[in-house]
Amino acid sequence: MSRKTFFTAALTLTLVVTAGCTDSTVTKQHSKVPADQAQAAPIVEPVTAPLSDYGKYVPLKRQSETVTLGSHQTYNLSPFFTGQTVVIAPDYLYQQSIYYMHVKQTSDTASKSYIYRYSQGSNDNQVLHTVNRTIGMMTGVSHYLFWVEYNQIKSGQKWAIRSLDLKTGNINMLDQGISRYDTAIPYLDTSSKRVSWMTQEATPVRTKTILKSFDIGEDAIIIHQDYLLKEGKKRDGLYPFDFRRSDAGLILHTSTFKNSHQTPTLETFDSTFKRRMNGLIDFEHNKKYVSIGEEGSALFMPKKGRQPGYQFKPSDNRLTADAFRFLSADRVIFRESMMRLWYADLARGTVAPLTDMAHTTSKPIYVNGKLAYGVSDDEQIEFHVIDLKK
């Protein structure tokens, strides 16, 4: 049975730094601080029934007309990549710029990655940073970009997590390591003040997972918790294989092993929500709801009270739901397959299309009141930005 996680990130080797950037290492650390300083609540015993049997879900009332949430701008980036086949999407928004990354395969075993800044006002597309390895993902908090870069070595994947201060141009290295024995490179997720990730130190007999965050205000790495899984004739311990961060805190999908018997659980870091479940495509949470993406279904589970949750059924039971982005306590954007975005109003129990079912649509991002996503076909690459404040 593989220990491989389902993270989507990546990471380290030769770094080519653009002019004006410096490379340093953040050394300030805080040890084992509770996530978002939350007080741990009493552990809630997990429900043993399958997720599909938990509670009664009210079908969201589907509306046919496409909704308009705010001022909508479209930017065509195709002229910047003429003659190239690229897969790009907005990764972060800051002021009047869209930041994104592009990976170019230079050989069967090598790649070159670029970080771009597209200026919305001037239609200028500038390379900020180039590195001779793969950038697996990128995100941002405040005036910082964060990304994971990696390359294959004999013993596994060598990775590093780096940050770029958009005000000064300085580059820092937050963390680095080697993912061995089928463990994945770190995945990054953010709240308005922190970026979080997991590292996994694996040997043939055990895997140690460490949950970490970098706090922008404190300028420090925080170690929240570590978990140990022992390997052998029988497995024992706890293995976190995915997580999400938001301003509501951290939520983790874990497996607890006892004499090799596996109990998969989705729970918040403060244990105010805990359910036994498996087979998740994606998940997210805010202060009121936990959203679950499965094959053929999206569920919105209330954290408190006995009111029923809501369910969305895709047009085909084989399609998936993912990329949940809460706009407020009761409003959430999510994606059906890779072809359409939906807008759910949980206060009213309704769902309506935000985009048409057509070309490939990226996972949306939501930053400072703005929603952004990419749409591509064989000829065009467009970035869309919706300002919900207007």
Side-chain angles (χ1 to χ4, degrees):
M1 185 175 180
S2 173
R3 286 176 286 187
K4 189 172 183 179
T5 64
F6 301 99
F7 293 168
T8 56
L11 320 144
T12 232
L13 193 62
T14 310
L15 178 66
V16 179
V17 183
T18 54
C21 297
T22 61
D23 193 359
S24 59
T25 302
V26 174
T27 56
K28 292 171 61 179
Q29 294 199 9
H30 294 170
S31 296
K32 295 192 177 181
V33 177
D36 297 315
Q37 311 300 321
Q39 295 295 318
I43 294 178
V44 180
E45 288 299 319
V47 175
T48 56
L51 178 59
S52 58
D53 295 338
Y54 172 76
K56 294 182 179 179
Y57 297 98
V58 177
L60 288 169
K61 299 175 183 177
R62 189 173 302 208
Q63 300 174 347
S64 58
E65 293 188 6
T66 302
V67 295
T68 301
L69 299 180
S71 175
H72 190 147
Q73 300 293 327
T74 303
Y75 305 95
N76 185 4
L77 277 74
S78 304
F80 301 111
F81 299 97
T82 302
Q84 301 182 55
T85 300
V86 298
V87 179
I88 58 174
D91 291 308
Y92 189 59
L93 305 175
Y94 181 67
Q95 296 180 342
Q96 295 301 309
S97 296
I98 304 172
Y99 295 87
Y100 68 99
M101 55 92 175
H102 167 49
V103 180
K104 187 176 182 179
Q105 199 73 26
T106 56
S107 70
D108 292 340
T109 58
S111 61
K112 191 171 186 177
S113 299
Y114 305 83
I115 295 175
Y116 285 91
R117 177 174 60 202
Y118 175 79
S119 299
Q120 296 167 253
S122 61
N123 192 36
D124 178 58
N125 198 45
Q126 179 186 2
V127 176
L128 293 185
H129 180 69
T130 307
V131 59
N132 290 323
R133 73 200 76 165
T134 301
I135 293 181
M137 70 166 303
M138 187 169 72
T139 187
V141 179
S142 183
H143 57 282
Y144 290 92
L145 286 179
F146 301 94
W147 68 90
V148 185
E149 56 189 47
Y150 71 98
N151 64 282
Q152 183 73 42
I153 60 174
K154 187 176 181 180
S155 60
Q157 302 272 17
K158 188 177 181 181
W159 57 264
I161 299 174
R162 298 188 184 272
S163 68
L164 169 62
D165 188 328
L166 297 173
K167 291 183 177 180
T168 65
N170 292 336
I171 291 179
N172 288 332
M173 184 171 68
L174 297 182
D175 205 352
Q176 61 181 328
I178 300 175
S179 295
R180 298 182 173 94
Y181 299 101
D182 290 332
T183 59
I185 54 181
Y187 163 81
L188 306 177
D189 206 6
T190 64
S191 64
S192 59
K193 297 180 181 179
R194 290 180 177 177
V195 58
S196 298
W197 65 96
M198 290 178 179
T199 62
Q200 292 180 314
E201 302 169 0
T203 72
V205 296
R206 64 109 176 103
T207 300
K208 182 179 180 181
T209 304
I210 305 174
L211 176 60
K212 304 179 182 180
S213 293
F214 176 72
D215 189 286
I216 301 300
E218 296 184 23
D219 190 29
I221 292 176
I222 298 168
I223 299 176
H224 297 296
Q225 184 73 334
D226 56 74
Y227 310 87
L228 188 64
L229 174 66
K230 295 180 180 180
E231 298 282 350
K233 292 183 178 180
K234 294 183 178 181
R235 282 182 151 187
D236 284 287
L238 195 148
Y239 185 83
F241 52 85
D242 210 350
F243 79 99
R244 298 291 182 268
R245 163 171 283 288
S246 70
D247 283 342
L250 286 152
I251 186 168
L252 298 90
H253 196 200
T254 65
S255 281
T256 301
F257 291 87
K258 187 173 183 180
N259 292 326
S260 293
H261 176 73
Q262 181 182 11
T263 303
T265 304
L266 183 68
E267 64 179 306
T268 55
F269 193 83
D270 62 5
S271 296
T272 55
F273 175 92
K274 187 172 184 178
R275 298 288 185 273
R276 180 175 175 175
M277 61 182 68
N278 205 353
L280 301 182
I281 301 297
D282 199 3
F283 56 94
E284 186 53 274
H285 76 132
N286 68 358
K287 292 182 178 180
K288 290 183 65 174
Y289 289 94
V290 174
S291 55
I292 306 296
E294 303 176 303
E295 183 178 352
S297 179
L299 300 176
F300 304 91
M301 308 172 67
K303 286 184 173 180
K304 299 179 181 179
R306 296 185 177 274
Q307 70 270 31
Y310 290 101
Q311 183 179 42
F312 169 86
K313 298 290 289 184
S315 56
D316 188 315
N317 285 332
R318 294 169 296 181
L319 299 180
T320 59
D322 68 355
F324 301 95
R325 304 291 182 260
F326 281 98
L327 309 181
S328 66
D330 299 290
R331 300 184 303 149
V332 58
I333 301 291
F334 62 96
R335 187 174 68 163
E336 177 185 4
S337 186
M338 296 178 65
M339 308 301 287
R340 171 178 277 182
L341 299 180
W342 291 86
Y343 166 74
D345 187 332
L346 302 180
R348 298 182 178 182
T350 60
V351 65
L354 182 66
T355 65
D356 294 327
M357 181 72 82
H359 305 303
T360 302
T361 302
S362 73
K363 293 183 177 182
I365 60 172
Y366 182 56
V367 183
N368 297 325
K370 294 183 179 182
L371 186 75
Y373 57 93
V375 176
S376 62
D377 58 19
D378 293 335
E379 297 180 357
Q380 298 292 315
I381 305 165
E382 293 181 343
F383 285 178
H384 295 253
V385 178
I386 303 175
D387 192 338
L388 278 67
K389 296 178 293 185
K390 294 183 179 181

